[in-house]
Amino acid sequence: MIYYDVFNSKYGAILVCADTEGIRQINFQDGKNFTPIESDWIHSREKLEAAVEQLKAYFAGEIQNFELPLAPRGTDFQQRVWKALRNIPFGETRTYQDIAIELGNPNTSRAVGLANSLNPIPIVIPCHRVIGKNGKLTGYSGGMKLKEKLLMHEGILAKSFSLNFNQ
């Protein structure tokens, strides 16, 4: 059973999905990765209330960390990468290689990048905090402009990222 809710934020409409284990997916509905709502999903503001409230509080600058049960679906490697992403503090970034080294194999930067791109729970699992080795912004499921805005929201020196992004 999948429960869902959609709410509007300053970053557009956001879909939040969960099952009885926890949050399964967060999606920016205004982006290229629009997720259609399945016919067997159940709309439930009540079941998603904590997630929606915490996301709103994050966007308002009231919280920096989330206290939500998560249930992303992925391979063992993806799960390890997503767990490592959750260790990146608010307002900091890491490179794909940093994550690969943390996982014990510096040669897996590309695999880390792929797992990062498949993260089903952005924001809460902060894949936006991962940048290229050269300091440039790299892909983001919600789009590069959104990634830049999220990094600016967290107070990361976004000016240098903006300069790199626009080159």
Side-chain angles (χ1 to χ4, degrees), residues 61 95 113 123 143:
T95 66
I123 307 296

Side-chain angles (χ1 to χ4, degrees), residues 11-159:
Y11 302 111
I14 298 177
L15 169 71
V16 182
C17 299
D19 61 15
T20 56
E21 295 176 42
I23 304 299
R24 293 264 310 264
Q25 180 180 8
I26 293 174
N27 193 65
F28 296 97
Q29 291 297 86
D30 297 338
K32 63 181 178 179
N33 294 323
F34 173 84
T35 298
I37 295 168
E38 301 289 331
S39 62
D40 60 339
W41 292 2
I42 298 169
H43 182 249
S44 176
R45 291 193 178 189
E46 179 181 293
K47 294 210 184 278
L48 281 300
E49 182 177 16
V52 169
E53 291 306 313
Q54 286 186 43
L55 285 162
K56 287 179 178 180
Y58 168 83
F59 295 139
E62 297 167 0
I63 66 168
Q64 296 180 350
N65 300 300
F66 296 89
E67 299 292 329
L68 297 168
L70 303 181
R73 300 296 189 259
T75 66
D76 288 342
F77 181 77
Q78 289 168 338
Q79 296 286 346
R80 290 178 53 223
V81 169
W82 299 336
K83 183 176 180 183
L85 297 178
R86 293 200 69 202
N87 292 330
I88 304 172
F90 180 94
E92 294 184 20
T93 59
R94 300 290 185 273
T95 66
Y96 297 103
Q97 187 170 29
D98 292 335
I99 303 297
I101 291 167
E102 182 180 333
L103 296 177
N105 189 343
N107 297 321
T108 60
S109 294
R110 287 180 185 251
V112 167
L114 179 59
N116 194 62
S117 72
L118 297 173
N119 172 18
I121 310 176
I123 307 296
V124 178
I125 299 176
C127 54
H128 62 280
R129 295 178 188 154
V130 182
I131 59 172
K133 185 177 178 180
N134 59 5
K136 290 186 179 181
L137 292 183
T138 55
Y140 187 64
S141 63
M144 295 297 284
K145 287 291 186 188
L146 178 57
K147 182 171 185 166
E148 186 177 42
K149 288 177 183 178
L150 291 169
L151 292 173
M152 291 171 88
H153 168 75
E154 293 195 12
I156 295 168
L157 298 176
K159 183 176 181 183

